[in-house]
Structure formats: structure tokens, C-alpha cells
Amino acid sequence: MSKNMPVQQANIAVDSTYEQYHFEDGDDRMTYSSGRSLASNVTRYRYENGRRYHAYRDGLYYGPNDDKNSTYETIVHHLWLLTLHDKLFLAPIENPQMILDVGTGTGLWAIDMADALPAAEVIGTDLSPIQATNAVPNVRFEVDDASSEWTYPENMFDFVHIRGLTGCISDWPYLYQQCSKHLKPGGYVEHLEFSCETNADPESDDPADKIYTKFTKNVIGLGEKTGRTFRTIEFMAQNMRDAGFVDVVEEKFIWPIGSWPKDPHLKELGRWGERNWTDGMEGWVMALYTRILGWSYAEVQAFVAEIKAAIKNRSNRYYHEVRCVYGRKPPLPN
């Protein structure tokens, strides 16, 4: 990966232009780069409570897709790079030629992979066309719903990458089955997720413990209401094995919330972990709390302010867990 490559940000307005989309085999997945307009039902975004949300398959994803969120995604991408010690993946893949990034967001990981592996072709899919269109030539982006049946040829990819989709998928076993179907024999899938639970004591009367616990209970409950679990991190490894993957490896890490750790690496993670929570919190909860819990905009903002105060209190020592799980599709028998 180029160390000097500028951070890519995609700030796409409703009237942004792209290359003419095309429909594939009756599916509504669209490929684009630059030049012509996408269908209006893709870029006619939902504007709500001061944030912008995807239009394609409206409501499937809770997070905004506006400029503010694009900036936030650079923080999360950097946090994952710090976690993996500047590696883009942990799976032992060798010379991959076809790579799929599921739920690519602004496309930062896909762009970095394409930059690092110029001989490979990288495809990034997302509900929103918010990726940089001036990226390296061996990456392309598609508007697609990862939960639908994939229309790629079977045995197409050497590597499938999934990151940060907790709370977005209603049927994780099915998604892993899709990964297996479209991976080449011997290919790898890698999935990275975060836990919404912190080390806060749910029995404590401490205000910080109470606000973190409230956040966790709300989010876990919302996953149960929507059918899109926020407990994804707990089931990745077993779901991967159940889908037929072998040599499954699960790596566990923590993200401190604040620079309180003494260990230099954890301290640096904590600095970015704090920004992850403070910059991301409003986007995490605004749509979910107002659409499903019935909170008002003012109530959400008050909650966000309260949890930010706990985050910025230097006497607090909170963290949450993240995991990276990868597995291999069994090779064909000799």
C-alpha cells in the first residue's frame, strides 16, 4: 500500500455524475465510474434530521452517507489499519486476482487494496454510490445489496472482504453461503466487526457506566426488533464454519475509548477510538432511535451529548472488543 497515497473521500451530491449504469442479468446491481448520471432512485437520497441517507433499498442501512460520514469513515479505516499493524488483511492469501469488498462504504479499503495489488481487480459494493471515481484503475464500484442473491459467476473471487456491517444483515449464514459459492476453491473470506458492548458495569450507579450500558441495551434491542443483529461479532467464526469454511482463525483485539492505556500501541488506538465514538455516535443512533424507538431529534442530541461527556472524561477507562475472522473455502479434491 502506498504510504503517501492521500486519503480518498467521496462527497457525492444528488446531481453528481457517473458512467452510465447497466443492469446485469435482470438484477438491479449497477456498475459506474464517471461520466453520466445514475438512476434518480439511487441518488434521490433521504434527508432526515440534518443527515443524508441512502435511497437504493431505502432503510436497510441505519448509517448516513453524507460528507460528515465520509470524514468519519476515514477515522474508522485508520483505526482498523492501526489494529492490524498497517495490514489490510490477515488471511494468508497469495497473489489474489479477483477481490470483492462487501459494503465498501466510501471505498477506502478497496482503493488501498487496488493500489497495493495493481495486478488484481477489486470490486466494491454498497447501497450508496459515494466512492471516489478518480481511484486507481483496477478498482470499480457497484450499487448492490449484499443481502440479495449475488449474480457473480460461481468460483469467481480469490478473496472476499467484509467489514463493519453489524446491524445491517438479516441472514448472516446466507451471506457466508454466498461468499462460499462465489469464492474460488482455496479462496478466503475475511470478516471484521466491532462489539457494541463495552466493559461498563451494568449494575453500577456511576453515570458513565449507566450511559454506556443504556447505549448497549438500546442497540442490542434494536437489532432484535429489526432482525439485523448487533451481536454479529459473537457468531462470525461459527457461522463461517457452518458455511463450510475450513482453517477458520479468529483474532480478538480491543479498542480503548480514550488515550488512558499505558501501552503505546493501545494508547494510539485509544486516541482514534475516542474519535470513532465521538465522531460516529450521532450517525450510529440518529436513524435507529428516531425511526424505531420514536425518540425526537432533541432527545437523540441530548443522549449524544451525554455519552460524549463520558467519553471525554479522562478518568474513565472504557473499551470494547473487535474481531477479525477469516476462513478458507476447501480446495477441490485431487
Side-chain angles (χ1 to χ4, degrees):
M1 180 175 58
S2 173
K3 296 294 185 182
N4 298 317
M5 185 178 69
V7 172
Q8 303 285 343
Q9 293 188 25
N11 301 327
I12 306 301
V14 174
D15 60 352
S16 295
T17 56
Y18 296 88
E19 186 175 79
Q20 179 64 46
Y21 63 89
H22 64 273
F23 296 92
E24 310 225 5
D25 300 329
D27 186 52
D28 51 358
R29 186 176 68 247
M30 289 164 280
T31 298
Y32 60 91
S33 55
S34 63
R36 299 176 187 169
S37 297
L38 276 170
S40 61
N41 67 333
V42 174
T43 55
R44 193 180 296 119
Y45 300 122
R46 178 196 286 211
Y47 291 84
E48 185 178 85
N49 292 315
R51 304 303 299 264
R52 191 187 74 188
Y53 298 88
H54 69 95
Y56 176 69
R57 303 279 170 91
D58 182 33
L60 282 183
Y61 177 54
Y62 59 85
N65 68 358
D66 49 25
D67 295 356
K68 186 176 181 180
N69 190 69
S70 294
T71 302
Y72 164 68
E73 283 206 18
T74 66
I75 296 169
V76 180
H77 183 59
H78 183 67
L79 189 51
W80 278 114
L81 287 176
L82 283 175
T83 305
L84 303 185
H85 298 278
D86 289 328
K87 296 179 180 179
L88 288 166
F89 56 88
L90 297 183
I93 58 175
E94 296 181 5
N95 193 33
Q97 299 300 301
M98 291 295 300
I99 299 168
L100 178 65
D101 185 27
V102 179
T104 193
T106 53
L108 294 175
W109 185 90
I111 292 167
D112 278 359
M113 279 293 283
D115 185 51
L117 300 169
E121 181 178 352
V122 182
I123 301 173
T125 65
D126 202 84
L127 294 171
S128 294
I130 55 172
Q131 300 79 31
T133 57
N134 60 344
V136 286
N138 56 320
V139 63
R140 75 175 192 264
F141 299 106
E142 297 177 349
V143 177
D144 196 15
D145 176 8
S147 295
S148 299
E149 183 178 1
W150 298 2
T151 58
Y152 301 110
E154 294 185 21
N155 306 315
M156 177 177 177
F157 297 103
D158 300 287
F159 186 44
V160 174
H161 176 263
I162 307 167
R163 191 175 76 184
L165 294 186
T166 194
C168 303
I169 305 296
S170 59
D171 192 344
W172 278 107
Y174 178 74
L175 183 59
Y176 282 132
Q177 291 166 15
Q178 293 289 293
C179 292
S180 178
K181 179 179 180 180
H182 297 283
L183 275 168
K184 297 175 184 176
Y188 277 87
V189 59
E190 181 164 301
H191 187 182
L192 305 95
E193 290 292 350
F194 55 91
S195 173
C196 297
E197 295 186 84
T198 70
N199 61 316
D201 181 359
E203 305 300 324
S204 171
D205 289 328
D206 180 84
D209 282 327
K210 290 175 72 174
I211 192 66
Y212 276 110
T213 299
K214 183 178 182 180
F215 167 74
T216 296
K217 287 184 176 180
N218 282 344
V219 170
I220 297 299
L222 283 163
E224 294 172 355
K225 284 179 178 290
T226 62
R228 301 184 188 100
T229 182
F230 280 92
R231 293 187 179 276
T232 309
I233 192 172
E234 302 171 24
F235 311 117
M236 293 189 296
Q238 190 58 53
N239 282 343
M240 206 173 280
R241 294 187 184 98
D242 291 344
F245 289 95
V246 298
D247 303 328
V248 174
V249 174
E250 182 177 52
E251 300 278 357
K252 299 180 181 180
F253 309 92
I254 66 165
W255 282 355
I257 307 170
S259 58
W260 53 265
K262 293 182 179 179
D263 176 84
H265 178 64
L266 290 177
K267 182 178 286 292
E268 183 68 5
L269 280 173
R271 291 191 184 100
W272 288 92
E274 178 178 325
R275 288 203 61 188
N276 176 42
W277 280 68
T278 56
D279 289 29
M281 181 57 64
E282 182 189 274
W284 296 350
V285 302
M286 183 61 75
L288 288 170
Y289 282 27
T290 56
R291 295 177 191 174
I292 302 172
L293 295 183
W295 289 27
S296 68
Y297 173 80
E299 287 173 327
V300 174
Q301 290 294 358
F303 173 82
V304 170
E306 188 177 357
I307 201 166
K308 282 185 177 181
I311 291 167
K312 293 182 176 297
N313 186 333
R314 298 307 179 197
S315 65
N316 289 331
R317 302 287 187 269
Y318 294 100
Y319 63 87
H320 61 124
E321 185 180 288
V322 298
R323 298 185 192 181
C324 174
V325 182
Y326 58 86
R328 181 170 62 104
K329 180 177 177 177
L332 295 174
N334 295 326

